[in-house]
Amino acid sequence: MENKLDGNAAAGIMQQIFAFEMTRVQATCTGCGATNPIGATAAYMHGMGTVVRCPFCDTALIRIAHGKGRYWLDLRGVRVLQISAEE
Ligand SMILES: [Zn+2]
């Protein structure tokens, strides 16, 4: 069972991993080259973790699994992660 939500749903778990504000992050897709804020992506949440997909080509940008006191983060679908340094 999984629930499809917008990418803001994934921002919460990613904030536990990354110290910076995830709403200021944009990801460039390896599949189609589109650049989108994390909140504009599609997030699929299920028991094993979270998958963030490109809204244009459906490439899995980010996969996050959580268990046994650690996170597994697969970013192979992200060509570039842009992080705004402005407050
Ligand atoms: Zn794409």
Side-chain angles (χ1 to χ4, degrees):
M1 178 177 147
E2 69 179 20
N3 297 314
K4 181 181 179 185
L5 305 168
D6 72 41
N8 287 310
I13 192 169
M14 293 176 76
Q15 282 179 334
Q16 295 174 37
I17 301 169
F18 295 108
F20 45 82
E21 178 58 53
M22 287 308 297
T23 57
R24 286 191 259 141
V25 172
Q26 294 194 330
T28 301
C29 175
T30 58
C32 71
T35 299
N36 288 286
I38 293 296
T41 61
Y44 295 83
M45 321 285 281
H46 52 78
M48 292 296 292
T50 301
V51 178
V52 177
R53 291 190 174 275
C54 176
F56 296 106
C57 73
D58 210 36
T59 291
L61 300 169
I62 301 167
R63 295 180 178 97
I64 305 165
H66 181 210
K68 298 182 180 177
R70 64 182 60 213
Y71 293 100
W72 286 266
L73 184 61
D74 178 342
L75 292 167
R76 79 181 80 173
V78 176
R79 184 183 304 163
V80 176
L81 209 55
Q82 297 178 49
I83 304 152
S84 172
E86 309 214 347
E87 292 296 320

